[in-house]
Amino acid sequence: MSANGTGWLGAAESALRSAPPNALLSTARNLLAAHVQARSVTLLLADYGLTVLQPVTRLPYTGRAVAVHDGDPAGRAFSAEAAVMEVAEEAGMVTLHLPITVRGDRIGVLSVYLPEPAQGAPAVLELAAFATAIGHELLVAERHTDLYLQARRRQRLTLAAEMQWQLLPGRGFARPEYTLGAHLEPAYAIGGDNFDWSTSDDHLTITVTDGNGHGIEAALLTNLTVSALRNARRAGISLADQACLADQAIYGEYGGRRYSPTLLLRFNLETGQAGAVDAGSPQIFRLRHDSVERVELEAQMPLGMFEETEYREQPLSVAPGDRLVIVSSGVHGAQSRGGSLFGEAALRETIAATQHSTTHETARAVVNALVQYHGGSDLPSDAAVVCMDWRGRR
C-alpha cells in the first residue's frame, strides 16, 4: 500500500466518478498503480449466459474469456462473491481477483496483479471496496457508452433478446430482508419471458412474465406488459389493480389475439405478509425446512385475454428462512423430444440439491438441469427463473 495508507480510497472513488464513461478501466489502472503498485489490472464482465467472464478491451475484443465454473480463480471469485488470491510465479507478487457486485447484482471481476499486500486482510477489504465502486460506476456508464455491454457478448444477440435484456432490473438484488437471483435462457435469443422487481421502504414487488410466442412479436408483447405493470405499480395502487390496468392495456392493443401470462407478487417487509395474483402460467416452488413443495394459487386469466377482467389478490404464505423459486412454463412445462415433461419432480430435486447454494447459483442450476434434460442442446422455449431467500425484517 502507498504511504497514504487508507486515505486513498475516497479520492479514488471520486476519480472514478469524474472519469469519462469509456475510461473507467484506464482510470482504475492509474489509481491502482499509484496507490498499491499494481502492475496490471483486468476488468472481466459476465456474459449474458453467466458462463464466461470476458475482458474489457478495445474493439474488436481479442482478450481470453474465463470460464465461470471450471475452477479458474477469477471464476471462483465471481461464483462465491468473495476475493480470491492467486500466488504468482514472481516472488512476492499475487493476482487478487475481486468480485464486482452491486446490491446483490453480480457484474464481473477485477483482477489486479500487485505485490502481496503487507496489511493482509484490511488491504484486501479496501481493494474489494474499490471493485464495488467500479461496479456502481459501470451501471451509470452503461447509459452513455456501449463499451461494457459489448464486452458481455460472446455472440450477437437477436433483436428480440436485445429488447428483453434492456427491460431487466438486473440479475440479482439484496437487502437485509431478502436476496434475489435470476436467470434467463436462451440468453442470446430470448423471446418473451421476463422478470421485474422493485423495492421501497416497506414493500418488494416481483413480476414474472411468461412470453407468448417467439421473436420480435413476443418481445413487443412483453415490453408492453412490463411497461404497463410498471406504470400501474408507480401509481401506488393495489396488486390486483395493477393486474387490471395491465390487462386493459394489453387487450386494448391486441383485442384478445395475444395475451401475457404473468405472476405478480408483493411482500410487506414490515409485517412479513405477502400477496399474489396468478394471471397465467409461471409457478412458485417453496423450500421450507428441507422440504420442497409447489405453491398452489388460484388460477386467473392471463393479462389481455379478455376485456376488463377483474383480478383478485390472494395471500401467500412466507416465513423467515423460506426460499421461493419462480419458474416460467418454459421450465415447468418443458417437453423432451419423446414428449415427456421435465416436470415437478425434477424441479423439486434440483431445488433441494441446491438449498445451500446462493440464489444466483440455484437459478442457474435449474436452467442447467433443463439444458441437460434436452440433451445439452439449445432450449426450444424461453426459460425464466427467479430465486428469493426470504429473511424478513428483524
Side-chain angles (χ1 to χ4, degrees), residues 303-375:
L303 302 180
M305 178 173 280
F306 298 107
E307 188 173 12
E308 297 185 355
T309 303
E310 292 293 327
Y311 291 93
R312 297 169 301 281
E313 180 178 349
Q314 65 179 112
L316 172 68
S317 173
V318 61
D322 282 357
R323 168 169 285 184
L324 300 182
V325 180
I326 308 160
V327 297
S328 66
S329 65
V331 179
H332 67 77
Q335 290 188 353
S336 68
R337 293 191 180 118
S340 62
L341 283 172
F342 178 65
E344 190 171 315
L347 272 169
R348 288 172 181 262
E349 181 180 340
T350 303
I351 294 168
T354 58
Q355 62 180 298
H356 300 300
S357 301
T358 65
T359 55
H360 294 283
E361 292 302 305
T362 294
R364 185 191 64 84
V366 170
V367 174
N368 280 357
L370 187 62
V371 171
Q372 293 172 14
Y373 176 77
H374 285 287

Side-chain angles (χ1 to χ4, degrees), residues 112-129:
V112 185
Y113 183 67
L114 76 168
E116 185 171 1
Q119 293 171 285
V124 173
L125 290 174
E126 270 197 354
L127 290 168

Side-chain angles (χ1 to χ4, degrees), residues 208-212 221 225 229 242-251 255-264 277-282 298-311:
V208 177
T209 298
D210 202 345
N212 187 293
L221 174 60
T225 302
L229 286 168
Q242 291 174 34
C244 290
L245 284 184
D247 170 75
Q248 293 173 25
I250 298 166
Y251 187 87
R257 299 184 305 277
R258 299 182 65 80
Y259 47 87
S260 189
T262 301
L263 178 67
L264 297 84
V277 175
D278 182 1
S281 54
E298 176 192 356
Q300 300 177 62
M301 293 296 105
L303 302 180
M305 178 173 280
F306 298 107
E307 188 173 12
E308 297 185 355
T309 303
E310 292 293 327
Y311 291 93

Side-chain angles (χ1 to χ4, degrees), residues 48 153-163 165 187-189:
Y48 286 94
R153 302 175 186 211
R154 288 190 296 111
Q155 62 195 62
R156 182 176 177 179
L157 269 69
T158 64
L159 177 55
E162 186 85 53
M163 295 167 66
W165 283 108
Y188 292 85

Side-chain angles (χ1 to χ4, degrees), residues 218-232:
L220 289 171
L221 174 60
T222 302
N223 266 258
L224 176 59
T225 302
V226 173
S227 297
L229 286 168
R230 286 175 176 172
N231 178 256

Side-chain angles (χ1 to χ4, degrees), residues 152-207:
R152 297 177 186 223
R153 302 175 186 211
R154 288 190 296 111
Q155 62 195 62
R156 182 176 177 179
L157 269 69
T158 64
L159 177 55
E162 186 85 53
M163 295 167 66
Q164 295 293 60
W165 283 108
Q166 292 299 312
L167 277 179
L168 294 180
R171 284 180 285 188
F173 186 69
R175 278 184 55 163
E177 298 90 350
Y178 58 83
T179 300
L180 291 165
H183 201 69
L184 275 179
E185 285 287 349
Y188 292 85
I190 195 78
D193 284 14
N194 212 288
F195 55 84
D196 193 23
W197 55 63
S198 178
T199 189
S200 66
D201 287 344
D202 295 314
H203 290 90
L204 166 69
T205 303
I206 301 174
T207 57

